[in-house]
């Protein structure tokens, strides 16, 4: 049993703290957001993540998991302090490290016992060294034993608990092997592959991994666009490609492009780091441009189907950036809604989990109770997020209640032929059809 404090109770921090508590450790999670901590202490989750509320509840009841806003309370006898605060995009695309700085300063100001500081936030290469400098500057005891370990997080929102408990790998970077080994012991119950490396390499592994996954999506989106021109179906193309073990099926779904709290900011930050250091990251730049273009193409498709978008009613199914989360950061749906509104369209939308978050940022969008209310009187329906509950909606009913039967399936979840047979004008992404096919 170790004593662990986790700084930041967002998607990463709350899951990390809860899972470490579930493995038998004594965990205190700290956040500066009073509302968050008050709610957590009442058993109310600040985010939607499947299975999280129950796991938090179990571990709080078992006395292993606590929430506080008080740094001294969180740090007082911690062996490890995990930093899991946000690192959003700064003005030029660089990662904004202000929250990391604040957290490290707050810890350094009060700690009086040996501590391993573990960085889980996604931070630019070199941040571990910078963190050590800040710590030394603010720590009152110059002889205090203090180590920095980079431990980038790879969990996916929507399956975060499973991913934490069943990681493909745990990456640990440090200039101090013993500190890295101590952190690796925290993960030993998971029986995961553990890669111990230096600080900078660990930091780079996170960026390179996210950039690679974003590249796969942009790649298949580019193939999708070529498929549309040539009359092939990208869904089957991706299936055929993925059967090759060297390629695999993951992250080969053509759609409206990647979004979320990680890929956009991380690819941008990696590009920024590269340019700043004299590299020419042409592939990363193309990956981002293809992603932007993917959304433009969706707008062009609807313009083509509807003529002018002004005064047309567009229904959006799904607002979160992907299914099984309420996270709307950099969601393609929100971006498209703003662009449709700029062209004078009238917007309606529904999402199974993201409506409370969406309400805070969307203006003049009618938020509906289900897909059918969205479809009522709509000139077009755009599927933006691949939630399970959209997969088998009643299209006969939808056909009757829409003003015009136009569907843009932005995640390729529906059968084009079925929808066409019901009288819809169906657009997918990359679903060209040649005359003798389908
Ligand atoms: P988030 O925005 O959901 O949560 C961050 C939390 O940190 C907030 O609750 C905020 O109030 C808190 N915070 C900010 N400053 C603080 C401070 N000084 N002291 C204490 N708490 C503070 O962020 P997230 O999505 O959990 O991401 C955290 C980090 O993990 C980011 O660097 C992100 O890139 C990385 N990451 C995220 C994911 C993901 O799927 N969300 C996956 C892997 C890595």
């Amino acid at each position: 049993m170790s004593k662990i404090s986790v700084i930041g109770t967002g998607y990463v921090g709350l899951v990390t703290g809860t899972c470490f508590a579930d493995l038998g450790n004594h965990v205190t999670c700290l956040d500066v957001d009073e509302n968050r901590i008050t709610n957590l202490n009442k058993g109310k989750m600040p985010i939607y993540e499947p299975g999280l509320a129950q796991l938090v509840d179990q571990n709080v009841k078992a006395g292993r998991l606590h929430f506080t806003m008080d740094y001294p309370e969180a740090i007082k006898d911690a062996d490890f302090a995990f930093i899991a605060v946000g690192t959003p995009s700064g003005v030029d695309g660089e990662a904004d490290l202000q929250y990391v700085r604040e957290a490290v300063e707050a810890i350094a100001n009060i700690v009086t016992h040996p501590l391993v500081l573990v960085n889980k936030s996604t931070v630019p290469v070199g941040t571990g060294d910078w963190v050590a400098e800040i710590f030394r500057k603010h720590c009152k005891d110059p002889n205090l034993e203090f180590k920095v370990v980079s431990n980038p997080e790879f969990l996916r929102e929507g399956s975060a608990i499973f991913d934490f408990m069943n990681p493909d790998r745990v990456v640990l970077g440090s200039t101090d092997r013993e500190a890295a080994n101590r952190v690796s012991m925290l993960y030993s119950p998971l029986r995961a592959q553990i890669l111990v490396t230096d600080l900078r390499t660990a930091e780079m592994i996170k960026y390179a991994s996210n950039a690679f996954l974003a590249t796969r999506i942009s790649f298949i989106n580019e193939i999708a666009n070529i498929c549309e021109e040539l009359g092939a179906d990208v869904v089957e193309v991706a299936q055929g490609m993925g059967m090759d073990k060297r390629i695999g099926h993951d992250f080969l779904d053509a759609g409206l492009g990647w979004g979320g709290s990680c890929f956009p900011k991380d690819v941008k930050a990696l590009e920024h780091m590269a340019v700043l250091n004299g590299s020419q990251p042409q592939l990363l730049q193309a990956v981002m441009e293809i992603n932007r273009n993917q959304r433009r193409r969706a707008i062009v498709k609807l313009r083509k189907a509807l003529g002018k978008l002004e005064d047309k009613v567009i229904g959006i199914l799904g607002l979160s950036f992907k299914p099984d989360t309420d996270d709307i950061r950099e969601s393609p749906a929100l971006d498209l809604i703003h662009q449709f509104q700029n062209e004078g369209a009238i917007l309606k939308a529904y999402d199974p989990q993201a409506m409370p978050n969406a309400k805070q940022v969307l203006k003049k969008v009618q938020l509906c109770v289900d897909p059918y209310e969205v479809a009522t009187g709509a000139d077009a329906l755009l599927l933006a997020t691949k939630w399970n509950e959209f997969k088998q909606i009643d299209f006969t009913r939808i056909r009757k209640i829409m003003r015009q039967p136009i569907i843009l399936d932005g995640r390729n979840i529906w059968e084009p032929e079925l929808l066409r047979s019901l009288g819809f004008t169906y657009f997918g992404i990359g679903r060209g059809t040649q005359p003798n096919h389908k």
Side-chain angles (χ1 to χ4, degrees):
M1 193 274 280
S2 295
K3 290 187 175 160
I4 297 172
S5 66
V6 178
I7 314 301
T9 59
Y11 292 88
V12 169
L14 188 53
V15 169
T16 299
T18 306
C19 289
F20 275 138
D22 204 52
L23 294 174
N25 299 289
H26 186 276
V27 179
T28 303
C29 291
L30 176 142
D31 206 293
V32 288
D33 182 336
E34 190 176 354
N35 208 16
R36 227 161 234 247
I37 294 301
T38 308
N39 280 333
L40 278 165
N41 278 322
K42 288 183 193 155
K44 217 172 138 196
M45 294 303 106
I47 53 169
Y48 171 73
E49 183 59 45
L52 184 62
Q54 197 193 356
L55 206 61
V56 168
D57 183 54
Q58 279 168 17
N59 284 284
V60 167
K61 284 189 178 139
R64 291 188 296 264
L65 182 60
H66 306 267
F67 301 104
T68 184
M69 284 188 67
D70 185 44
Y71 267 97
E73 184 191 336
I75 297 298
K76 71 175 180 302
D77 46 14
D79 307 308
F80 302 91
F82 279 76
I83 300 209
V85 298
T87 49
S89 272
V91 204
D92 297 322
E94 79 283 10
D96 180 350
L97 294 177
Q98 64 166 313
Y99 306 112
V100 175
R101 175 192 278 280
E102 284 164 14
V104 176
E105 286 180 2
I107 295 169
N109 278 328
I110 54 165
V111 70
T112 53
H113 64 280
L115 183 72
V116 178
L117 202 124
V118 190
N119 190 24
K120 255 200 182 300
S121 295
T122 303
V123 290
V125 178
T127 301
D129 301 326
W130 174 80
V131 160
E133 260 173 51
I134 296 177
F135 190 93
R136 286 277 163 236
K137 202 166 130 198
H138 288 266
C139 183
K140 299 194 174 67
D141 177 359
N143 299 316
L144 187 106
E145 197 190 317
F146 156 76
K147 311 283 182 219
V148 180
V149 174
S150 165
N151 173 211
E153 182 51 61
F154 301 99
L155 60 76
R156 295 162 298 177
E157 288 173 20
S159 54
I161 293 168
F162 178 87
D163 290 349
F164 186 94
M165 294 297 199
N166 303 275
D168 288 340
R169 79 301 208 188
V170 172
V171 173
L172 300 171
S174 186
T175 45
D176 187 289
R177 191 84 189 186
E178 201 229 314
N181 287 342
R182 283 184 59 206
V183 179
S184 81
M185 292 308 290
L186 297 175
Y187 288 99
S188 59
L190 305 182
R191 306 199 177 285
Q193 296 189 77
I194 296 185
L195 175 69
V196 178
T197 180
D198 62 84
L199 265 173
R200 286 172 182 245
T201 304
E203 289 163 347
M204 188 62 177
I205 287 170
K206 175 63 191 174
Y207 279 106
S209 301
N210 272 1
F212 183 72
L213 295 174
T215 301
R216 280 180 67 108
I217 299 173
S218 280
F219 176 84
I220 200 66
N221 280 334
E222 181 153 278
I223 295 294
N225 300 339
I226 302 170
C227 282
E228 280 178 12
E229 301 308 322
L230 299 182
D233 182 347
V234 76
V235 174
E236 290 180 24
V237 171
Q239 201 184 356
M241 286 171 64
M243 287 170 177
D244 186 327
K245 287 196 196 74
R246 296 168 301 177
I247 297 174
H249 292 284
D250 293 344
F251 288 81
L252 274 189
D253 291 323
L256 299 171
W258 35 273
S261 62
C262 291
F263 287 4
K265 79 173 173 64
D266 293 348
V267 180
K268 238 188 272 171
L270 181 56
E271 187 237 9
H272 182 81
M273 269 183 269
V275 171
L276 210 65
N277 290 283
S279 295
Q280 288 187 325
Q282 296 167 54
L283 180 59
L284 297 181
Q285 286 160 352
V287 164
M288 288 189 283
E289 180 51 28
I290 291 168
N291 203 51
R292 284 189 286 268
N293 195 36
Q294 208 58 15
R295 297 181 195 177
R296 285 183 216 124
R297 287 180 69 96
I299 297 167
V300 170
K301 278 179 185 158
L302 281 193
R303 267 198 222 120
K304 206 167 131 189
L306 291 169
K308 275 193 175 166
L309 297 185
E310 198 175 355
D311 296 331
K312 297 289 182 337
V313 179
I314 302 178
I316 308 287
L317 296 185
L319 295 167
S320 56
F321 82 95
K322 68 171 186 176
D324 298 323
T325 181
D326 60 350
D327 197 343
I328 55 166
R329 290 177 281 187
E330 301 264 349
S331 167
L334 266 62
D335 190 11
L336 285 166
I337 285 175
H338 292 135
Q339 298 197 45
F340 291 140
Q341 284 182 325
N342 286 343
E343 298 197 25
I346 299 158
L347 272 298
K348 300 173 78 175
Y350 166 73
D351 185 283
Q353 290 295 338
M355 307 270 265
N357 286 340
K359 228 179 247 175
Q360 292 174 23
V361 294
L362 290 179
K363 291 196 180 76
K364 292 190 182 163
V365 175
Q366 185 191 335
L367 295 175
C368 301
V369 294
D370 62 22
Y372 305 100
E373 193 186 349
V374 174
T376 305
D379 293 295
L381 209 52
L382 164 62
L383 184 287
T385 318
K386 208 183 203 169
W387 283 96
N388 267 343
E389 72 170 68
F390 298 145
K391 287 183 180 161
Q392 292 190 316
I393 54 179
D394 180 350
F395 280 109
T396 311
R397 184 173 163 198
I398 296 272
R399 173 74 181 84
K400 286 188 194 135
I401 55 185
M402 286 183 77
R403 191 154 69 184
Q404 296 191 64
I406 295 168
I407 298 247
L408 173 46
D409 177 3
R411 300 291 173 189
N412 289 341
I413 66 169
W414 295 318
E415 277 306 316
E417 280 317 297
L418 173 73
L419 293 201
R420 287 183 186 127
S421 72
L422 291 172
F424 288 99
T425 302
Y426 171 93
F427 299 92
I429 308 290
R431 314 201 75 178
T433 43
Q434 55 185 25
N436 62 353
H437 178 65
K438 293 179 179 171

